[in-house]
Amino acid sequence: MTAVLVPLVVLLPLLGAATALILGRHRRAQMAVSAGVLGTVTVIAAVLLGAVDAGEPTVVSIGAWPAPYGIVLVVDRLSAIMLLISAIVLLVVLVYAVGQGVADRHRETPVSIFHPSYLILSAGVFDAFIAGDLFNLYVGFEILLSASYVLLTLGGTGERIRAGVTYIIVSLVSSLFFLSAIALIYGATGTVNIAQLSVRLAELPDSVQLILHLLLLIAFGIKAAVFPLSFWLPDSYPTAPAPVTAVFAGLLTKVGVYAIIRTETVIFTESDLTVLLMVVGGLTMLIGILGALTQADIKRLLSFTLVSHIGYMIFGIAVGTQLGLASTIYYVVHHITVQTTLFLTTGLIERFGGATSINRLAGLLKASPFLAILFFIPALNLGGIPPFSGFLGKTGLFLAGAEQAGAADAAGMAWLTWAVIAAGAATSLITLYALTRFWNMAFWRGRDELEGYESVLLGSVQEAPEGATVTATRTTPMLMVAATTTLVVVTVLLTVFAGPLFELTDRASFDLVNPEAYVSLVFPGGIR
């Protein structure tokens, strides 16, 4: 039964996109189609998660062509977790976008363009999570990227077109690396099936494995925005409409992280790049958060924190133990929801306060206490204040790192792990400082203090390059507030149900460190 549901998570959004395009002049019908499709996919993802958690991974051979000859779709615990959280976030952001579109008469998100592109983006994200071979994973990336080009440039302003050009160039370079890696891997092994590659790549010389491994990591590293491949993100994401920025920040980089997890745990089990990943993770944390400290605009500040917190996930992947991977998966879920929530709240701040810069915002706490709470809770969560999920995820990662440092002490590598743990702790504190600084200036500071206000908190910040001056305040629809509130509640639930969630991610990580079941199900002839 569940095998029938797997292709639907990709097929339904594609059919919905076609239907929405046909209904281009019927706005309400388009909205209903989009909401219905994503609501259905959310239910399907929940059913798949329950089924694979209670049993074994679900494998579907498209066209009845068995692996490695045909396209194979695979849903294991990790895939199901990513499908469910992505579907929830996409649905909630859609509601937010509908509310914004109705209030602004669809100036920011033209319905005839937005809904088909949004559903195609969703199909690409879902396809990437269930791909059982590298080429289908590449197709998933290209589907979501082609839609993201459209969404990023909605409105056609000069700022968005410039950001879109940068984004497109970087994405094409990433795709070129990925496609070249696929071609070389196929030439060396005769297959692109992930399960079969876990067997055949181990038979290649170490030098060849290393080259192929690095090519894939570069491609996925650009998509995940790890340092030094993250230079493009802070200038690209903040220019898009609020719902688009929220989806990009929450989901697109995590598709790259997901691909790195698969690469490290299934494909290249014999090629060890732990030291490289550890160093990259630590530098991503520090460089990203130091960039956030210099930003006056909350959109750019959040973009830099997005980069920095990808470093935690890379660190967990580098640790590679069951606890490390379990904490990484939990932290990915946490970061998807919290980062999306913060960008949605920023959209509300922009509408309510007329700007996104701390040099132009003040008095919002008195004007809208509820908005202050909506920003404050996920800000504390991202900063790692206990008992929120950010604190729990980081604690799990640090504990896993400490265990690995004890085991690596004999090899003389313990110092590197402890250094990255220290970088993670510092990044968490600086994140909290940067976000509370913004909250203090925008919400706590009185309106009468805005003109000529001087503070050490503002001494080192700068406006966005070529940033707009002040945006006129607009009405804030209840749909936008309700959608943001829903995601804030979800972030709190990640804390309330942290015990069962950690148990689930622990079972998913057990599958990752013991991929024999995955390999035998996807490619029955495989022998590890």
Side-chain angles (χ1 to χ4, degrees):
M1 176 61 183
T2 55
V4 178
L5 299 177
V6 174
L8 293 180
V9 300
V10 178
L11 185 60
L12 287 179
L14 290 177
L15 292 177
T19 304
L21 193 61
I22 294 171
L23 298 172
R25 296 185 179 182
H26 304 278
R27 293 176 175 176
R28 291 185 177 179
Q30 273 196 329
M31 296 173 191
V33 168
S34 299
V37 165
L38 291 179
T40 303
V41 172
T42 302
V43 174
I44 291 174
V47 172
L48 289 174
L49 177 57
V52 299
D53 189 40
E56 59 185 18
T58 299
V59 181
V60 178
S61 299
I62 302 301
W65 285 90
Y69 306 107
I71 296 173
V72 179
L73 305 179
V74 186
V75 178
D76 60 357
R77 289 187 177 95
L78 175 59
S79 299
I81 291 170
M82 298 301 293
L83 282 176
L84 181 57
I85 192 62
S86 300
I88 291 172
V89 166
L90 285 164
L91 179 59
V92 173
V93 174
L94 176 68
V95 174
Y96 183 101
V98 168
Q100 176 177 306
V102 170
D104 296 342
R105 297 183 179 180
H106 307 286
R107 288 191 299 271
E108 287 283 306
T109 53
V111 173
S112 60
I113 303 171
F114 175 77
H115 285 273
S117 301
Y118 193 79
L119 289 174
I120 290 173
L121 177 83
S122 305
V125 171
F126 298 146
D127 185 47
F129 289 145
I130 63 176
D133 63 82
L134 288 180
F135 189 77
N136 193 25
L137 178 61
Y138 171 80
V139 171
F141 273 120
E142 292 308 302
I143 291 173
L144 70 90
L145 288 174
S146 62
S148 67
Y149 302 151
V150 178
L151 293 171
L152 190 65
T153 55
L154 283 178
T157 65
E159 186 181 23
R160 290 178 183 172
I161 295 298
R162 283 191 295 272
V165 169
T166 302
Y167 180 77
I168 289 172
I169 292 173
V170 172
S171 298
L172 289 176
V173 171
S174 172
S175 297
L176 181 62
F177 272 105
F178 193 8
L179 196 57
S180 299
I182 291 174
L184 291 173
I185 288 172
Y186 184 77
T189 64
T191 184
V192 292
N193 182 274
I194 292 174
Q196 192 176 18
L197 283 174
S198 70
V199 179
R200 292 197 175 180
L201 279 170
E203 300 170 355
L204 298 177
D206 291 344
S207 58
V208 176
Q209 290 189 55
L210 180 61
I211 292 171
L212 299 177
H213 196 172
L214 286 173
L215 275 175
L216 279 182
L217 276 184
I218 291 172
F220 298 149
I222 295 174
K223 297 179 188 300
V226 300
F227 178 83
L229 308 173
S230 57
F231 61 91
W232 56 272
L233 190 149
D235 291 326
S236 299
Y237 284 9
T239 61
V244 174
T245 304
V247 165
F248 280 24
L251 288 180
L252 296 199
T253 52
K254 309 312 179 301
V255 180
V257 172
Y258 169 85
I260 294 175
I261 293 175
R262 286 291 184 207
T263 298
E264 297 303 310
T265 59
V266 180
I267 300 178
F268 290 102
T269 55
E270 303 296 328
S271 178
D272 188 7
L273 290 180
T274 298
V275 174
L276 176 63
L277 289 172
M278 197 77 71
V279 171
V280 166
L283 289 176
T284 301
M285 293 179 198
L286 291 176
I287 302 300
I289 202 59
L290 291 177
L293 276 180
T294 65
Q295 305 304 315
D297 187 275
I298 184 60
K299 289 181 180 178
R300 288 181 61 83
L301 189 156
L302 289 175
S303 296
F304 276 102
T305 63
L306 166 62
V307 171
S308 70
H309 285 250
I310 296 295
Y312 289 101
M313 305 168 206
I314 301 302
F315 170 64
I317 296 169
V319 171
T321 62
Q322 185 171 335
L323 176 59
L325 291 171
S327 301
T328 300
I329 298 169
Y330 180 83
Y331 200 81
V332 168
V333 174
H334 146 81
H335 197 256
I336 287 173
T337 53
V338 170
Q339 199 76 47
T340 303
T341 303
L342 284 169
F343 272 103
L344 292 185
T345 309
T346 299
L348 297 180
I349 292 171
E350 185 175 15
R351 300 181 69 89
F352 197 86
T356 54
S357 171
I358 57 178
N359 294 323
R360 306 185 192 118
L361 289 170
L364 293 182
L365 177 61
K366 184 176 180 180
S368 179
F370 188 65
L371 180 58
I373 295 172
L374 288 181
F375 184 85
F376 193 64
I377 292 175
L380 291 181
N381 201 338
L382 189 66
I385 292 297
F388 290 112
S389 56
F391 170 78
L392 299 175
K394 289 168 186 172
T395 300
L397 289 169
F398 293 164
L399 288 174
E403 288 183 1
Q404 191 208 49
D409 189 44
M413 293 304 300
W415 67 270
L416 178 59
T417 306
W418 286 114
V420 178
I421 291 174
T427 298
S428 186
L429 292 174
I430 298 173
T431 300
L432 184 63
Y433 166 76
L435 292 175
T436 52
R437 178 187 64 184
F438 175 83
W439 193 90
N440 182 62
M441 295 293 102
F443 290 93
W444 190 263
R445 177 176 56 170
R447 276 282 181 185
D448 55 339
E449 302 178 72
L450 187 56
E451 289 295 331
Y453 184 81
E454 295 183 1
S455 169
V456 294
L457 296 177
L458 301 179
S460 61
V461 299
Q462 59 186 10
E463 297 286 357
E466 303 179 8
T469 52
V470 178
T471 304
T473 58
R474 291 167 285 180
T475 58
T476 305
M478 286 305 299
L479 273 181
M480 295 175 68
V481 177
T484 308
T485 304
T486 299
L487 271 191
V488 171
V489 172
V490 172
T491 64
V492 174
L493 291 177
L494 293 179
T495 302
V496 175
F497 296 101
L501 286 173
F502 256 112
E503 292 175 0
L504 174 60
T505 61
D506 187 61
R507 292 191 292 272
S509 66
F510 177 83
D511 297 339
L512 295 175
V513 297
N514 300 282
E516 290 78 11
Y518 178 96
V519 172
S520 61
L521 281 170
V522 176
F523 181 56
I527 301 174
R528 293 183 58 83

